[in-house]
Amino acid sequence: MQNRPLIAAAHIMTAMAIIGLIDQFIRVIAIDSSLWTFHLLRSVMIWAIALTWLAISRKRLEVVSWRGVLARSAFNATGLLIYFGALGFLPVAQAAAGLFSAPIFVLILSVALFRLRIGPVRIVAAFTGFAGVLMVLSPDVSTLSPAAFVPLAAGLFYAMAAIATREWCPDEHALTLTLGGFAFMGLWGLLGIVSIAVAGGEGADFLTRGWVWPTPEVLWWCIVQALGSLIAVVLLTRGYQLAEASLVSVFEYSVLGFSALFGLLVWGDVLSVPAMLGLLFIAAAGSLIALRGRGVPA
């Protein structure tokens, strides 16, 4: 198939713009709902939409490797659970910075697990990206706290999901992997709700509340999240079908810019100069790692 990088880039950047916008409103959901209720509701909605489409199109889900799909889905869902949890107390751009530290972790894990040989360029890129993450998460060292590093855990699990996708799920359909991830996120939501109910320790914030009956506003934003996420995934998948992954994967980093832009437009969040430089460092490092991964070790 002929590469169409410009059209592919447009698909991927549109997907990132959608994600950068809809994730801003997790802050609204966090006021009256819980992380666990949100994940359960959104997963049920996405599965309902997908099953309706499958029934209308008379298609079926097929799984090549159950073990691979389950492992990849678990890693992916855990990473995104941590990311959305961080959105309850951090701006989207900061949470996204942690999530997009994933290429750095992919490089580290590939060296540790698969003995990948890397050269000085990618080593420098890894350190540059990590420095960028620190600049975004806490540009003022005096305010550094353990909570600021929570998004890095999201990046670690997201990296593990990326490796699992390549190593264990190369022949799986994109919809299968997508729904697998959302199924596990729904299970995480259900587990959180049950655990909080059993413990009897109902909290007062996004992370510690259990089941919360959704208000009309929360229900609306959950629907927006479900539809927006599906559209973004479709666009992202189509983008990778239109051109080689090595040519277009770098455009995923546009989500950092979109998150900062929409954070400013929607909430008036203004990132400091060091934080903005940190976003550039992360994008540059991730892009360099992706591009150098095309050829010989560097």
Side-chain angles (χ1 to χ4, degrees), residues 57-73:
S57 62
R58 296 186 178 183
K59 295 184 178 180
R60 55 184 294 183
L61 287 175
E62 295 182 355
V63 177
V64 177
S65 170
W66 278 100
R67 182 179 298 180
V69 170
L70 290 174
R72 185 262 180 194
S73 298

Side-chain angles (χ1 to χ4, degrees), residues 17-290:
I18 292 171
I19 291 171
L21 176 60
I22 63 176
D23 283 358
Q24 301 294 332
F25 298 97
I26 296 297
R27 194 179 301 188
V28 177
I29 295 173
I31 296 173
D32 296 315
S33 190
S34 73
L35 176 66
W36 318 104
T37 300
F38 164 70
H39 276 300
L40 182 59
L41 284 176
R42 188 179 69 149
S43 295
V44 169
M45 289 176 181
I46 286 175
W47 265 89
I49 294 170
L51 290 176
T52 300
W53 179 80
L54 287 170
I56 293 173
S57 62
R58 296 186 178 183
K59 295 184 178 180
R60 55 184 294 183
L61 287 175
E62 295 182 355
V63 177
V64 177
S65 170
W66 278 100
R67 182 179 298 180
V69 170
L70 290 174
R72 185 262 180 194
S73 298
F75 290 142
N76 184 70
T78 302
L80 291 178
L81 179 83
I82 297 170
Y83 164 71
F84 279 105
L87 290 180
F89 58 89
L90 288 175
V92 177
Q94 286 184 288
L99 185 67
F100 274 80
S101 65
I104 303 168
F105 285 116
V106 168
L107 195 64
I108 294 171
L109 292 171
S110 295
V111 171
L113 299 177
F114 303 108
R115 301 187 182 278
L116 175 72
R117 293 184 301 113
I118 62 173
V121 173
R122 280 191 281 182
I123 291 174
V124 170
F127 279 107
T128 301
F130 186 71
V133 170
L134 293 181
M135 291 169 69
V136 175
L137 295 182
S138 189
D140 182 357
V141 177
S142 65
T143 64
L144 201 63
S145 68
F149 291 97
V150 169
L152 280 177
L156 173 60
F157 279 101
Y158 205 61
M160 294 166 70
I163 292 173
T165 301
R166 182 176 66 247
E167 298 294 331
W168 300 336
C169 308
D171 300 319
E172 303 291 349
H173 192 278
L175 183 60
T176 300
L177 296 179
T178 299
L179 291 180
F182 281 116
F184 264 81
M185 279 187 268
L187 288 175
W188 265 121
L190 182 60
L191 180 62
I193 290 168
V194 171
S195 298
I196 291 173
V198 170
E202 188 78 19
D205 57 41
F206 187 52
L207 299 178
T208 59
R209 296 186 193 117
W211 170 256
V212 181
W213 285 101
T215 64
E217 185 176 28
V218 168
L219 196 60
W220 162 251
W221 287 116
C222 283
I223 293 171
V224 169
Q225 263 283 336
L227 290 173
S229 297
L230 272 180
I231 293 171
V233 168
V234 169
L235 288 170
L236 194 61
T237 303
R238 182 57 180 157
Y240 279 104
Q241 289 175 331
L242 288 168
E244 292 178 21
S246 58
L247 294 176
V248 296
S249 61
V250 295
F251 292 103
E252 283 196 53
Y253 288 92
S254 63
V255 74
L256 298 173
F258 285 123
S259 295
L261 173 62
F262 289 126
L264 175 64
L265 295 177
V266 176
W267 302 113
D269 290 337
V270 180
L271 291 178
S272 65
V273 173
M276 291 297 292
L277 288 174
L279 292 180
L280 292 176
F281 281 9
I282 297 166
S287 301
L288 186 58
I289 290 171

